[in-house]
Amino acid sequence: MHLKMELIKGGMPANYGGRLASVLNISMKEGNSKKYQVDGGIGIISSRLTIQGPIKKDTASFIISGRRTYADILAKPFVNDTSPAKGSGYYFYDLNAKINYRLSDKDRIFLSGYFGRDVFLFKNNDNGFSAGIKWGNATTSLRWNHLYNDKLFVNTSLIFSDYQFEFSAGQQDFEGKFFSGIRDWNVKIDYNWLPDIRHNIKFGLNYIYHTFTPTSASARSGEVNFDLGKVARLYAHDAALYITDDFDVTEKLRINAGLRATYFEQIGPFDRYVKNENGVITDTVHYGGAESNNPLVKLILNGGINQSVQVYRNLEPRLSMRYTLGKTSSVKASFTMNYQYIHLASFASVSLPTDIWVPSSSLVKPQKGIQYAVGYFRNFFDNVLETSVEVYYKTMKNQVEYKDGALPGDNVLDNPDNNMTFGDGKAYGIELFIKKAKGKFTGWIGYTLARTTRTFPTLNFGQEFEAKYDRRHDVSVIASYDITDRLNVSAIFVYSTGNKLTVPIARYVYEGDLVSEYGERNGYRMPAYHRADLSITYKGKQRKHFQGSWNLSIYNVYSRQNPFFIYFDAHGTLADGTLRVTAKQVSLFPILPSITYNFKF
């Protein structure tokens, strides 16, 4: 594993922001600065390779790692003609690279990059329906670490990221494609100051220049291409200042207190389409700005002045504490206030992953979240067994949903937020965790019971409804047993409640067109996701410069047909009264056996 991951679920410190949810901090390990090292695996489902070593011994090093799956090819023989997985395929690939250089005892430079893509394809030859989903991110960062003295250091980072999403679907002669994405230019300056043994103070600033492509589209029917207008982009400045102190008040009490000040401004060029009560565009308000995707070019062309569309400023206080009750137990509590200026908007009547990101605007207010969390942690049997129970409650203001009946194509030649409506939400739950980290038998069990709801005046007759991604039950069980020093068996079981969806409850013909009447908002829950995996690993004899192992695994042991999305298939015609519309489920992988040879030298 060449990545280090840190998950912060509750009590997010002030150096993190921009989201109401938890934080997953991922960093790539540095390359070996003393010797060259190669490790990887060649398997039926996927292969991986990592190479690392010194560029200049004890001064500069590199690490490069890549993966590629081809489970879609292997899965085909295991899919029968009636399976929901028939016609579907999924694969991904990614590449990580990092170089670090020690300029002096007080200065180091790190250059890293990541590129990854996920691809899902589906085709039903019987009805001609096909769908393709491609998404991924590319990012590059340059970081300078400077040590002032043994109590103060700073990290200065320049970061570029480009997230892209593409969805295409077709049936018979019609084909449509939707594109969306976010491109960010980011500058971060993070100080870490340790004035004494009891304080760890962090402070800094962050600036991001956002370029949003909420929705662009193309469509054709046969040889006819439809004019859906030029690609519409939205631009915004996003900045923050923060300070946080991790403070040992006593030997038993630790407090983390912080404050984050945020600023968000949507800027031009931008056209606001003004609609009347019937949804007809009656006017257009133009906000000026330089037409360029490069922020440096925009600064030069426009003299640094892009017309302001909307500005938001907010303060975010954070407070968390940990109190040690004894050698084996402690209590943690936290209060977190967050503002989120970019929004994930989901189409309730579409189970396909066609969600898009949009910025706060004159219509879309920033989301505000306030979360309270309390947890009890205790270890047993000389720290062999770790257990915890945590409860949380979160309120969320200015949540975003699409209006009833909205479809992805409605965003074309219009402002996406014109098709949105706004309300509030809440989320609460309890998390139970038990882990055995020592001995031949290790593993953990995690269970979350949670509920996420929304209340919108214009949706569901103003009544509370469950969010699309409400997940009532979430279970993870991982077990590993060392039969010998060289032979290990392991098993995984996961279960999660299915997503919610708004589905038609009736259809009727009006003036020759088929019209769907939808039921309660998110009133249908998709089937649950669950599967079990088994594996056995045999390590070869350790040699001086080489280590190899064989892994035999079975993915989805009982071949659960987990739903990926649901689409509606129409048979017959309106003219002769034979039209029938049926819902069909598309799944990913059935049972998949695999064998992999892992090596390290």
Side-chain angles (χ1 to χ4, degrees):
M1 189 70 175
H2 300 284
L3 298 174
K4 293 184 286 187
M5 293 182 285
E6 177 190 13
L7 176 63
I8 305 173
K9 296 184 292 183
M12 182 191 304
N15 51 309
Y16 297 106
R19 300 293 187 275
L20 302 189
S22 56
V23 174
L24 181 60
N25 185 13
I26 303 175
S27 59
M28 192 174 185
K29 294 181 180 180
E30 298 172 20
N32 194 320
S33 62
K34 296 185 180 297
K35 62 179 182 179
Y36 291 99
Q37 183 177 319
V38 178
D39 62 270
I42 300 174
I44 298 175
I45 293 180
S46 66
S47 293
R48 57 184 174 80
L49 180 66
T50 300
I51 303 173
Q52 59 181 310
I55 299 174
K56 183 178 181 182
K57 193 171 183 179
D58 295 325
T59 301
S61 65
F62 76 94
I63 181 171
I64 183 169
S65 180
R67 296 183 300 171
R68 173 64 159 90
T69 68
Y70 23 86
D72 54 323
I73 300 173
L74 177 67
K76 289 182 179 180
F78 298 93
V79 179
N80 59 51
D81 292 338
T82 60
S83 170
K86 182 67 176 179
S88 67
Y90 166 80
Y91 65 91
F92 73 84
Y93 54 91
D94 58 32
L95 179 69
N96 288 276
K98 185 175 184 179
I99 297 173
N100 72 88
Y101 191 91
R102 185 185 298 274
L103 299 174
S104 68
D105 291 340
K106 292 188 175 183
D107 296 280
R108 296 184 69 181
I109 289 180
F110 304 85
L111 177 63
S112 59
Y114 167 83
F115 177 82
R117 282 289 181 271
D118 291 71
V119 179
F120 170 81
L121 301 171
F122 173 77
K123 185 174 184 179
N124 188 318
N125 293 322
D126 295 333
N127 57 27
F129 176 77
S130 63
I133 306 170
K134 301 177 182 179
W135 69 98
N137 196 31
T139 181
T140 303
S141 67
L142 176 64
R143 177 167 62 92
W144 169 38
N145 174 264
H146 176 68
L147 180 68
Y148 290 96
N149 50 55
D150 58 357
K151 293 186 176 182
L152 178 66
F153 67 88
V154 62
N155 282 297
T156 303
S157 305
L158 303 176
I159 305 167
F160 169 79
S161 67
D162 185 16
Y163 170 78
Q164 295 182 3
F165 173 88
E166 176 186 331
F167 169 73
S168 61
Q171 193 158 20
Q172 297 174 357
D173 290 336
F174 179 81
E175 181 183 5
K177 294 183 178 181
F178 295 90
F179 310 87
S180 68
I182 308 176
R183 177 172 292 179
D184 289 343
W185 301 83
N186 189 348
V187 179
K188 293 176 60 182
I189 302 177
D190 300 297
Y191 285 88
N192 199 316
W193 178 39
L194 296 93
D196 56 55
I197 196 171
R198 299 173 63 186
H199 291 270
N200 184 357
I201 299 174
K202 297 179 181 180
F203 58 95
L205 59 89
N206 184 19
Y207 168 76
I208 305 174
Y209 180 84
H210 297 290
T211 301
F212 297 87
T213 308
T215 303
S216 63
S218 64
R220 67 174 180 84
S221 180
E223 300 299 322
V224 180
N225 293 308
F226 298 98
D227 181 12
L228 300 179
K230 66 178 183 179
V231 176
R233 293 186 173 91
L234 305 176
Y235 307 94
H237 299 300
D238 191 346
L241 294 169
Y242 73 86
I243 183 169
T244 181
D245 184 9
D246 205 12
F247 175 35
D248 288 323
V249 182
T250 68
E251 291 184 357
K252 291 187 175 182
L253 178 62
R254 169 175 286 186
I255 290 178
N256 185 299
L259 183 66
R260 186 179 182 90
T262 58
Y263 174 91
F264 188 89
E265 180 183 18
Q266 184 192 357
I267 58 174
F270 172 66
D271 290 327
R272 165 62 66 192
Y273 301 109
V274 181
K275 290 185 171 183
N276 61 19
E277 62 276 6
N278 297 319
V280 178
I281 297 175
T282 59
D283 194 11
T284 302
V285 180
H286 178 71
Y287 296 86
E291 293 283 356
S292 173
N293 294 329
N294 190 313
L296 182 60
V297 173
K298 290 174 71 70
L299 191 66
I300 296 172
L301 291 178
N302 219 36
I305 301 174
N306 290 73
Q307 191 169 357
S308 178
V309 179
Q310 185 67 43
V311 174
Y312 294 101
R313 302 178 182 88
N314 289 290
L315 292 175
E316 305 175 16
R318 314 282 177 81
L319 180 65
S320 62
M321 58 81 68
R322 185 195 69 191
Y323 187 79
T324 302
L325 299 174
K327 293 182 178 180
T328 60
S329 62
S330 63
V331 175
K332 296 180 182 179
S334 64
F335 166 84
T336 308
M337 179 184 291
N338 295 68
Y339 283 87
Q340 181 170 321
Y341 295 101
I342 63 175
H343 308 256
L344 182 67
S346 304
F347 292 94
S349 59
V350 180
S351 68
L352 292 162
T354 52
D355 303 339
I356 65 170
W357 291 96
V358 295
S360 295
S361 64
S362 56
L363 296 183
V364 183
K365 309 301 180 185
Q367 298 179 62
K368 177 184 178 182
I370 297 178
Q371 178 174 291
Y372 309 88
V374 178
Y376 176 68
F377 302 79
R378 181 168 184 139
N379 293 354
F380 296 91
F381 310 118
D382 195 24
N383 297 325
V384 171
L385 208 61
E386 303 172 11
T387 66
S388 66
V389 54
E390 292 184 88
V391 295
Y392 68 91
Y393 182 85
K394 179 189 291 186
T395 59
M396 296 168 285
K397 301 292 185 182
N398 304 323
Q399 299 296 284
V400 173
E401 293 273 352
Y402 275 101
K403 297 175 181 177
D404 282 334
L407 294 171
D410 297 338
N411 287 335
V412 179
L413 300 176
D414 196 1
N415 302 130
D417 52 12
N418 277 336
N419 298 307
M420 296 174 184
T421 186
F422 313 100
D424 298 329
K426 60 184 178 182
Y428 50 92
I430 181 171
E431 299 179 353
L432 306 173
F433 183 77
I434 182 170
K435 178 181 179 180
K436 185 176 183 295
K438 299 179 181 180
K440 288 188 174 183
F441 177 77
T442 59
W444 52 267
I445 300 173
Y447 171 68
T448 300
L449 175 64
R451 190 165 187 249
T452 305
T453 63
R454 300 284 187 266
T455 304
F456 282 62
T458 60
L459 298 178
N460 213 48
F461 303 102
Q463 300 298 311
E464 183 181 74
F465 60 92
E466 291 164 339
K468 177 179 181 178
Y469 295 110
D470 170 73
R471 185 170 293 177
R472 191 63 45 84
H473 303 283
D474 192 289
V475 181
S476 298
V477 181
I478 295 179
S480 177
Y481 182 72
D482 293 326
I483 299 175
T484 68
D485 292 339
R486 295 166 58 185
L487 186 63
N488 170 273
V489 293
S490 63
I492 297 174
F493 174 77
V494 293
Y495 175 96
S496 60
T497 303
N499 292 338
K500 301 284 284 188
L501 182 67
T502 305
V503 297
I505 58 173
R507 286 188 169 88
Y508 55 90
V509 178
Y510 178 74
E511 294 185 351
D513 294 324
L514 183 66
V515 180
S516 297
E517 180 180 339
Y518 288 87
E520 180 183 352
R521 187 76 171 194
N522 291 342
Y524 172 76
R525 189 179 291 278
M526 294 177 67
Y529 179 99
H530 57 86
R531 73 169 204 276
D533 306 332
L534 296 175
S535 71
I536 181 169
T537 301
Y538 177 76
K539 297 179 181 179
K541 288 184 178 181
Q542 178 72 51
R543 300 178 183 176
K544 185 176 181 180
H545 299 294
F546 186 86
Q547 174 69 56
S549 66
W550 288 94
N551 175 266
L552 175 64
S553 64
I554 304 177
Y555 175 90
N556 197 3
V557 173
Y558 50 88
S559 200
R560 163 71 175 177
Q561 301 299 316
N562 286 301
F564 185 57
F565 66 83
I566 294 174
Y567 73 97
F568 293 93
D569 182 31
H571 292 278
T573 63
L574 281 173
D576 58 13
T578 60
L579 181 65
R580 296 291 183 270
V581 180
T582 56
K584 293 193 173 182
Q585 174 182 308
V586 176
S587 299
L588 287 179
F589 303 124
I591 182 173
L592 281 180
S594 176
I595 186 168
T596 303
Y597 180 69
N598 300 300
F599 55 87
K600 182 178 180 180
F601 60 88

